[in-house]
Amino acid sequence: MTNDNLIHYIYGIADNSLILGQRISELCGHGPTLETDIALTNIALDLLGQTRSYYKYVAELSPKDISEDDVAFLRTEREYKNVLLVEQPNTDFAYVIVRQYFFDVFHFMLLKELENSKNVNFQAIAKKSLKEVSYHKRFSGDWLKRLGDGTEESKLKAQQAVNDLWVYTDELFHMTANDKKVAEAGYGVDTTTLKVPYYETITALLKEATLDIPDTKYFQKGGKNGIHTEHMGYILSDMQYMQRTYPDMKW
Amino acid sequence: MKNQGKKNVRDEQMKSLEEIFEAKIARDEKIEPKDWMPEKYRKTHIRQISQHAHSEIVGMLPEGNWITRAPSLRRKVALLAKVQDEAGHGLYLYSACETLGISREELYDQLHSGKAKYSSIFNYPTLTWADIGAIGWLVDGAAIINQVPLCSTSFGPYARAMVRVCKEESFHQRQGYEIMMTLCNGTQEQKDMAQDALDRWWWPALMMLGPTDDESTHTEQSMKWKLKRKTNDELRQQFIDQTVPQADILGLKVPDEDLKYNNETGHYDFGEIDWEEFWQVVKGHGMCNKERISARKNAWDNGEWVRDAAVAYADKQAEKDVKEAV
């Protein structure tokens, strides 16, 4: 197990939090009510806080003299290893909630396992994050029920979002060669074992929300290998703007 | 004769209610939502508290403009938290306002239709990262000067909300100043960015303290009800006296050729404020007035189906509970 193995493993987890945190922060000030605005911003804050813990650890592991911000802002698109789900746009509130719920359920299960990692840093980050993510899951799950079993209009919108985002769920369980290596060493998580309980959980909630389960056989993937959707370039050009325009400065 | 008698009794009662009310204010006791209050007091408070709440939530937009582009993770998180605080301030100010018998929907309608005002400063654009520093330092700085006296204002819910608002605003101001300090200790490009932000935000910040005393329509009554403790001009002078030395520490130049410390008065003398610009922005002709209102309106209109869904779902759940109980 080299530091490089660990660093690449962290990207596969932390980049999800960074990109989803960035996506949700786009909504700050534009929520459907002040209460949801505040709650979604809280989720973004949690995710970005988690990202910082992971990237600080990357900076420690790296042989180069780098900071959390170098990790966050100065990689090329291909070097970000987040799943495609989290980079999907804020099309409407239904997409925001479904994206969040699909991610939160996975995130919670992943952290539950990561808590038992042999790596003490992973243990500590997972333990702290679990408290936050159990709240995220409750928030997005409750809202998905409201949207699904609310009005005709909300049901249509929620169903549309579920249908469109379902194709990004399978990638959550994709293991890269590096992921396998880190999992086998007892540091990382074998996510393939989470797949069945994951689909059981989200299927049960979708049923409670009176929504249909999509009958999709084909799933999108690529993010974990750094091949992203067209949305990713725009996310990064926004996010990296200052660091790229004014290199090597302190902010 | 009989009617006249009734009227006299009513007038007497009203007079005694007014006396009790005035006496309470004079004793620095709080007026609570269920207490009797003159209609004018209620209306004035709805106007001022809602204007304040609107300023908080419209104020989220210019700063929100830089969340996705913040230059470091630490700054991104701090800015997000700050803008979230503004939403929180909006929330408890709207709640305080609702205790006076007006709904959140009515208050939003007033904002969206242009009937209600909000602080004009938020109609200026945020063009660089330094603007985020300048807003924290100057805009929050001016807001604190305006708001600290409100912690002891006569209407209980407003006074209590302001205690928390002021604590958070003073944290924001320090954060803004720290952004400016970092820029001023940085490269020439960063210093230039900081100076440019000060150049653009200085005069609007001075205008934030309100029109000059002779133009201010609400001062006298507001003083009586402790909605105001100092006049706009006094507050402005206090802001200038406090801020100019801070600019000196940063090594930035305040964009006012007439600014000079007056040894006799112990205050800074300053140049003419462009009130023409102020009134133009108030009337809706600032660079971002239209964008700000349409952003708020879009958020509300696009959120309607979400709010409807929440109500429909809650109704269904309540129905289920009743059935189960039966």
Side-chain angles (χ1 to χ4, degrees), chain B residues 241-255:
Chain B
D241 291 345
Q242 167 188 309
T243 312
V244 173
Q246 295 171 349
D248 292 342
I249 293 170
L250 292 172
L252 296 177
K253 187 180 177 314
V254 174

Side-chain angles (χ1 to χ4, degrees), chain A residues 22 25 29 32 35 38 42 45 69 143 146 149-150 153-154 157 238-239 242-243 246 249-251, chain B residues 67-69 71-73 75-77 84 91 104 182 187 189-190 193 296 305-307 309 313 316:
Chain A
Q22 175 78 3
S25 17
E35 288 83 349
I38 291 170
N42 251 344
L45 281 167
D69 290 326
W143 265 107
R146 286 187 197 109
D149 196 15
E153 187 185 6
S154 70
K157 286 187 194 289
D238 234 17
M239 195 175 77
M242 289 296 290
Q243 291 271 344
Y246 305 98
M249 296 185 199
K250 284 203 164 46
W251 299 98
Chain B
I67 291 171
T68 60
R69 291 178 291 171
S72 71
L73 286 176
R75 294 293 186 202
K76 190 189 288 290
V77 168
Q84 188 193 37
L91 193 58
R104 187 113 58 105
T182 308
T187 63
E189 267 172 306
Q190 287 173 303
M193 199 188 277
R296 285 312 315 157
W305 68 271
V306 177
R307 298 189 300 274
Y313 179 79
K316 283 183 197 176

Side-chain angles (χ1 to χ4, degrees), chain B residues 16-230:
Chain B
S16 90
L17 282 170
E18 267 174 33
E19 276 166 10
I20 294 169
F21 171 84
E22 299 289 350
K24 258 190 177 178
I25 291 189
R27 288 197 303 270
D28 257 337
E29 277 177 34
K30 297 291 174 233
I31 304 299
E32 296 300 335
K34 285 184 176 167
D35 294 346
W36 183 89
M37 61 184 81
E39 194 49 22
K40 199 175 168 207
Y41 180 90
R42 197 180 69 86
K43 281 196 173 142
T44 301
H45 277 77
I46 288 179
R47 184 179 56 80
Q48 173 153 342
I49 301 171
S50 68
Q51 195 168 314
H52 191 166
H54 297 326
S55 300
E56 296 285 357
I57 60 160
V58 175
M60 294 168 74
L61 300 169
E63 291 178 281
N65 185 35
W66 277 89
I67 291 171
T68 60
R69 291 178 291 171
S72 71
L73 286 176
R74 177 175 158 252
R75 294 293 186 202
K76 190 189 288 290
V77 168
L79 181 58
L80 251 182
K82 185 193 172 193
V83 179
Q84 188 193 37
D85 282 349
E86 315 290 356
H89 299 171
L91 193 58
Y92 32 87
L93 287 166
Y94 281 127
S95 305
C97 203
E98 284 170 85
T99 66
L100 289 163
I102 187 164
S103 70
R104 187 113 58 105
E105 284 73 14
E106 285 173 276
L107 293 168
Y108 280 154
D109 274 348
Q110 291 178 354
L111 172 67
H112 299 157
S113 68
K115 191 184 163 207
K117 298 283 176 229
Y118 56 89
S119 185
S120 266
I121 194 122
F122 302 121
N123 293 315
Y124 288 84
T126 48
L127 303 178
T128 71
W129 172 251
D131 288 20
I132 299 306
I135 288 181
W137 172 36
L138 302 173
V139 177
D140 290 291
I144 293 166
I145 286 189
N146 250 334
Q147 292 168 2
V148 164
L150 291 172
C151 296
S152 56
T153 191
S154 62
F155 186 54
Y158 193 27
R160 289 188 287 274
M162 289 319 296
V163 171
R164 186 159 164 194
V165 170
C166 284
K167 274 186 195 156
E168 292 178 353
E169 296 291 14
S170 89
F171 180 70
H172 297 164
Q173 198 220 359
R174 283 202 297 274
Q175 213 170 52
Y177 191 70
E178 200 249 325
I179 290 178
M180 295 303 274
M181 184 64 92
T182 308
L183 295 174
C184 292
N185 286 331
T187 63
Q188 192 56 46
E189 267 172 306
Q190 287 173 303
K191 282 179 202 159
D192 292 346
M193 199 188 277
Q195 181 64 56
D196 172 59
L198 174 59
D199 290 347
R200 283 181 290 109
W201 290 96
W202 175 254
W203 292 104
L206 296 193
M207 294 175 198
M208 236 185 111
L209 282 314
T212 51
D213 294 346
D214 46 340
E215 293 266 341
S216 180
T217 45
H218 305 294
T219 298
E220 200 185 330
Q221 182 68 80
S222 297
M223 289 275 201
K224 205 170 136 200
W225 288 336
K226 296 171 182 171
L227 261 175
K228 250 181 191 239
R229 299 252 155 148
K230 287 181 183 171

Side-chain angles (χ1 to χ4, degrees), chain B residues 119-121 124 146 202-217 228 231-237 239-240 256 270-286:
Chain B
S119 185
S120 266
I121 194 122
Y124 288 84
N146 250 334
W202 175 254
W203 292 104
L206 296 193
M207 294 175 198
M208 236 185 111
L209 282 314
T212 51
D213 294 346
D214 46 340
E215 293 266 341
S216 180
T217 45
K228 250 181 191 239
T231 69
N232 293 349
D233 287 336
E234 285 168 337
L235 293 170
R236 193 165 9 253
Q237 187 66 58
F239 174 73
I240 294 169
D256 179 355
F270 55 97
E272 193 74 27
I273 294 175
D274 183 358
W275 291 109
E276 172 64 20
E277 177 183 315
F278 174 76
W279 291 112
Q280 284 304 317
V281 182
V282 170
K283 283 176 192 154
H285 308 302

